[in-house]
């Protein structure tokens, strides 16, 4: 509760403290909180979906924080309300991506109409991604019409972010031919925009070559959208050069994929996939907490490791233990 108005109303009214509180609620793993969070999300859901959702990825040091600050200020100056979220399953171990960066995003965090939320701390990726996705919906409900979701280039986090945003922006460093090979093909396939950052000073010529290389490489990939072809652009988060052009491309993308319902279809697919991954996660959690399964796991695990029971037979044994009393509460 914030003041006298219940949480959903306060969030919808754009109350920042209520939004922060709502996000804390969806981040909670307590069973009763999960239930309250689901009710809250249901209540605000009709008021979501109106933001431009942008995923921003790239290896550590490529300039994500600097870029988010530069493009964020540009976006806010154009009258938008911006929320910045993060998916970083390793954040409490590494000191946090956005949390530490909040000091770097000084100008941005000073602006009104900006909401910055660090990653929900370490945990398994599925959990962190789920909470960030729910936070994104809450930000939309609170009236933020542009959302940046940052992720560091670790494991599957890019895929998780691509599954919750409209446009996936990959930041890369200027460099020689080696640079291209350093980016996993799978990640390039997710990109709707590749931005060669640090296109300034001594690095400018290399940045130009790198952009050309990415242009060629993107050309060879199977397109994600019917109406949009992935682009490679250049920018400098430090000088601000190219930032307006990148944002212009994001806006152009938004208009392009909105026609013919392509964006709506993509979001429907994402929601559908999200539902099934929720079912998957919840079932697995019930399974692991099931008393008979828990009791059987040590013996079965040891037998599989020792090679005395096949993996198939072991899995069946655990599943049978679960199915005998699937209703047993954890
Ligand atoms: N020359 C140049 N340096 C940049 C640019 N953007 C970021 N940097 C520098 O690169 C370093 C890493 O930036 P940071 O934003 O922390 O990268 P992150 O780890 O991806 O978030 C910092 O020293 C920045 O000042 C740029 O456009 N040009
Ligand atoms: Mg950073």
């Amino acid at each position: 509760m914030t003041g006298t108005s219940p949480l959903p109303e306060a969030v919808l009214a754009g109350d920042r403290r209520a939004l922060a509180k709502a996000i804390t609620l969806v981040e909670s793993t307590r069973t009763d909180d999960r239930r309250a969070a689901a009710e809250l999300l249901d209540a605000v859901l009709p008021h979501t979906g109106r933001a431009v959702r942008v995923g921003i990825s790239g290896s550590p040091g490529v300039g994500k924080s600097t870029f988010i600050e530069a493009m964020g200020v540009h976006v806010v100056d154009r009258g938008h309300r911006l929320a910045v979220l993060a998916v970083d399953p390793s954040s409490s171990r590494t000191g946090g991506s956005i949390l530490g960066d909040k000091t770097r995003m000084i100008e941005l965090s000073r602006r009104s109409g900006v909401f910055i939320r660090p990653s929900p701390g370490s945990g398994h990726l599925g959990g962190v991604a789920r909470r960030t996705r729910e936070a994104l919906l809450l930000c939309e409900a609170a009236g933020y019409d542009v959302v940046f979701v940052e992720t560091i280039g670790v494991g599957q986090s890019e895929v998780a972010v691509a599954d919750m945003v409209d446009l996936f922006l990959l930041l890369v460093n200027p460099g020689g031919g080696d640079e291209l090979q350093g980016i996993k093909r799978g990640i390039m396939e997710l990109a709707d925009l590749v931005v060669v950052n640090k296109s300034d000073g001594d690095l400018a010529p290399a940045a130009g070559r790198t952009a050309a290389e990415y242009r060629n490489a993107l050309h060879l990939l199977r397109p994600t959208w019917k109406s949009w072809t992935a682009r490679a652009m250049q920018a400098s988060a430090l000088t601000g050069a190219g930032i307006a052009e990148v944002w212009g491309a994001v806006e152009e993308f938004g208009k392009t994929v909105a026609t013919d319902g392509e964006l709506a279809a993509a979001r429907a697919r994402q929601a559908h996939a999200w539902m099934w991954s929720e079912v998957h996660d919840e079932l697995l959690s019930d399974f692991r907490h099931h008393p008979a399964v828990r009791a059987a796991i040590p013996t079965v695990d040891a037998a599989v490791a020792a090679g005395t029971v096949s993996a198939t037979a072991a899995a069946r044994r655990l599943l049978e233990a679960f199915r005998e009393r699937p209703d047993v509460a954890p």
Side-chain angles (χ1 to χ4, degrees):
M1 300 274 198
T2 302
T4 51
S5 76
L7 199 50
E9 280 72 17
V11 169
L12 291 172
D15 178 336
R16 295 172 58 94
R17 281 178 54 195
L19 175 59
K21 206 172 161 191
I23 294 176
T24 302
L25 184 66
V26 302
E27 286 174 357
S28 167
T29 51
R30 290 178 39 175
T31 312
D32 49 340
D33 283 347
R34 290 300 310 161
R35 206 166 295 131
E39 278 170 24
L40 170 65
L41 287 165
D42 276 351
V44 303
L45 199 64
H47 308 278
T48 63
R50 284 176 296 204
V52 180
R53 305 167 178 171
V54 182
I56 296 175
S57 177
S59 35
V62 72
K64 290 181 297 299
S65 307
T66 315
F67 184 86
I68 287 171
E69 160 106 347
M71 193 158 83
V73 166
H74 176 77
V75 161
V76 172
D77 283 348
R78 290 173 60 93
H80 293 287
R81 296 187 70 211
L82 170 71
V84 182
L85 307 171
V87 171
D88 177 3
S90 65
S91 73
S92 69
R93 208 168 358 109
T94 56
S97 59
I98 289 194
L99 194 59
D101 286 351
K102 232 175 154 171
T103 49
R104 184 161 285 154
M105 299 181 195
I106 287 181
E107 209 188 328
L108 193 58
S109 53
R110 268 202 213 114
R111 300 290 173 114
S112 64
V114 176
F115 182 83
I116 301 177
R117 180 81 178 189
S119 183
S122 74
H124 79 107
L125 173 62
V128 171
R130 167 165 83 188
R131 287 171 270 167
T132 303
R133 194 193 285 268
E134 291 172 344
L136 187 154
L137 294 176
L138 291 168
C139 289
E140 289 184 341
Y144 292 89
D145 63 340
V146 178
V147 181
F148 293 165
V149 183
E150 180 194 346
T151 183
I152 54 162
V154 166
Q156 291 295 299
S157 64
E158 280 95 350
V159 177
V161 169
D163 275 346
M164 70 178 84
V165 299
D166 305 328
L167 179 142
F168 190 83
L169 189 159
L170 177 65
L171 280 180
V172 298
N173 281 304
D178 298 347
E179 180 60 31
L180 244 179
Q181 289 164 29
I183 304 285
K184 287 179 220 77
R185 185 188 159 88
I187 292 176
M188 227 167 64
E189 280 172 350
L190 300 173
D192 302 300
L193 274 184
V194 173
V195 176
V196 184
N197 191 35
K198 306 187 185 178
S199 296
D200 50 52
D202 293 345
L203 295 167
R209 286 194 298 275
T210 306
E213 282 174 14
Y214 273 98
R215 224 159 268 137
N216 289 332
L218 288 171
H219 209 70
L220 302 172
L221 296 176
R222 199 162 50 88
T224 320
W225 304 88
K226 271 184 263 157
S227 59
W228 179 263
T229 311
R231 291 182 194 174
M233 306 179 76
Q234 287 176 246
S236 168
L238 206 61
T239 68
I243 295 295
E245 286 76 7
V246 173
W247 178 247
V250 173
E251 287 186 314
E252 192 189 330
F253 167 90
K255 286 197 193 87
T256 306
V257 297
T259 52
D260 298 335
E262 210 183 353
L263 180 65
R267 284 183 169 186
R269 266 197 312 276
Q270 290 175 330
H272 185 257
W274 181 12
M275 180 187 82
W276 282 109
S277 87
E278 285 275 313
V279 169
H280 177 272
D281 290 357
E282 289 286 317
L283 271 180
L284 204 58
S285 162
D286 285 358
F287 181 80
R288 288 193 203 282
H289 287 99
H290 189 280
V293 173
R294 276 174 75 158
I297 282 175
T299 344
V300 172
D301 260 354
V304 170
T308 54
V309 175
S310 76
T312 310
R316 186 168 305 138
R317 198 176 293 175
L318 292 177
L319 285 164
E320 272 164 9
F322 180 68
R323 283 180 188 136
E324 257 170 41
R325 294 290 311 278
D327 55 316
V328 174

